């Protein structure tokens, strides 16, 4: 009634407590947070949660000479493209495999010419930075060296299980039954508004 049906975006499930017992049926351990906006023009700041240690150990298996953890990721994406993203670079033609060059977006600000449309030029600069891994196999596909410490984490999804409820001894406790933890409120505010 306040925001209008068309401004409903989605919902978040907040797992607010651990296991409960003593009722007939499924015990309720979550709250549903409805995500609405005032209009189609919304402020959205992606939020991240840290990678799990298992993920880091499985994917960021390599270390450079200074000890930084990294992984090798592909520099192409599915689908053929026209223009420089579909052109051959250093003897590799991605369109032959039904793919195109996919430059890592977060690396663009590190280029001398950030606005370049020429992917081969951007890839050359990436290679000069030491961010391209060349396989020993002739004809092998080059990979991008992606450092763990440059990654923000996993994009936050619609199920939140990492924020605990306000405990009985918590300093922020105000003793009203529906109080929400400050961390939960902070996440919502950071995601949907600018400082």
């Amino acid at each position: 009634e306040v925001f209008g049906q068309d401004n409903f975006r989605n919902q978040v499930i907040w797992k607010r407590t651990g296991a409960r017992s003593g009722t007939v049926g499924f015990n309720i351990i979550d709250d549903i947070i409805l995500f609405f906006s005032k209009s189609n023009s919304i402020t959205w700041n992606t939020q991240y949660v840290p990678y799990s240690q298992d993920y880091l150990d499985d994917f960021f298996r390599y270390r450079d000479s200074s000890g930084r953890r990294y992984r090798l990721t592909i520099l192409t994406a599915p689908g053929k493209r026209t223009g420089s993203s579909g052109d051959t670079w250093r003897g590799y033609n991605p369109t032959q495999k039904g793919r195109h060059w996919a430059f890592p977006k977060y690396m663009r600000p590190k280029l001398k010419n950030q606005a370049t449309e020429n992917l081969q030029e951007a890839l050359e600069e990436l290679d000069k930075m030491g961010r391209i891994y060349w396989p020993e196999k002739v004809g092998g596909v080059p990979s991008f060296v992606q450092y763990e410490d440059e990654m923000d984490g996993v994009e936050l999804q619609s199920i939140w299980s990492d924020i605990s409820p306000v405990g009985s001894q918590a300093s922020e406790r105000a003793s009203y039954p529906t109080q929400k933890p400050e961390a939960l409120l902070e996440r919502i505010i950071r995601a949907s508004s600018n400082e």
Side-chain angles (χ1 to χ4, degrees):
E1 290 178 359
V2 174
F3 294 103
Q5 183 176 345
D6 291 343
N7 289 326
F8 175 73
R9 300 295 167 220
N10 68 338
Q11 68 182 26
V12 170
I13 297 171
W14 172 46
K15 183 182 175 189
R16 61 179 160 82
T17 188
R20 295 178 62 198
S21 60
T23 60
V24 176
F26 299 108
N27 287 295
I28 298 170
I29 62 168
D30 64 73
D31 280 350
I32 304 296
I33 302 168
L34 301 179
F35 175 19
F36 280 86
S37 65
K38 289 168 101 175
S39 69
N40 282 332
S41 176
I42 67 171
T43 298
W44 180 251
N45 300 307
T46 303
Q47 300 297 295
Y48 299 89
V49 292
Y51 293 118
S52 70
Q53 193 59 49
D54 287 342
Y55 177 85
L56 293 175
D57 292 342
D58 286 347
F59 288 92
F60 291 89
R61 297 181 297 212
Y62 309 105
R63 290 189 185 271
D64 69 9
S65 58
S66 65
R68 288 175 76 192
R69 288 173 72 146
Y70 69 93
R71 71 179 191 165
L72 300 176
T73 61
I74 58 174
L75 277 166
T76 61
K80 293 181 179 181
R81 299 285 189 274
T82 57
S84 65
S85 64
D87 289 345
T88 299
W89 178 62
R90 300 263 190 109
Y92 183 79
N93 183 348
T95 58
Q96 290 177 337
K97 302 280 185 183
R99 300 182 68 83
H100 66 278
W101 294 111
F103 192 86
K105 287 181 186 174
Y106 75 93
M107 291 298 293
R108 194 159 276 282
K110 298 180 182 190
L111 297 176
K112 289 176 186 169
N113 180 7
Q114 297 175 20
T116 183
E117 296 290 325
N118 186 307
L119 260 287
Q120 285 69 26
E121 182 182 301
L123 290 168
E124 283 294 335
E125 194 169 338
L126 203 61
D127 191 36
K128 287 177 187 166
M129 291 181 210
R131 299 301 295 268
I132 305 278
Y133 169 80
W134 294 95
E136 293 179 12
K137 176 184 166 189
V138 175
V141 184
S143 298
F144 174 60
V145 176
Q146 183 180 52
Y147 285 102
E148 172 203 340
D149 58 20
E150 292 178 336
M151 308 308 296
D152 292 317
V154 180
E155 280 192 26
L156 190 61
Q157 308 298 307
S158 63
I159 298 176
W160 300 355
S161 59
D162 62 327
I163 297 176
S164 300
V166 179
S168 61
Q169 304 301 315
S171 62
E172 67 181 85
R173 187 165 184 80
S175 294
Y176 61 91
T178 59
Q179 181 179 355
K180 303 299 181 272
E182 290 176 6
L184 180 73
L185 302 175
E186 182 179 347
R187 178 175 283 172
I188 292 168
I189 292 166
R190 285 183 185 274
S192 60
S193 66
N194 296 319
E195 194 168 332

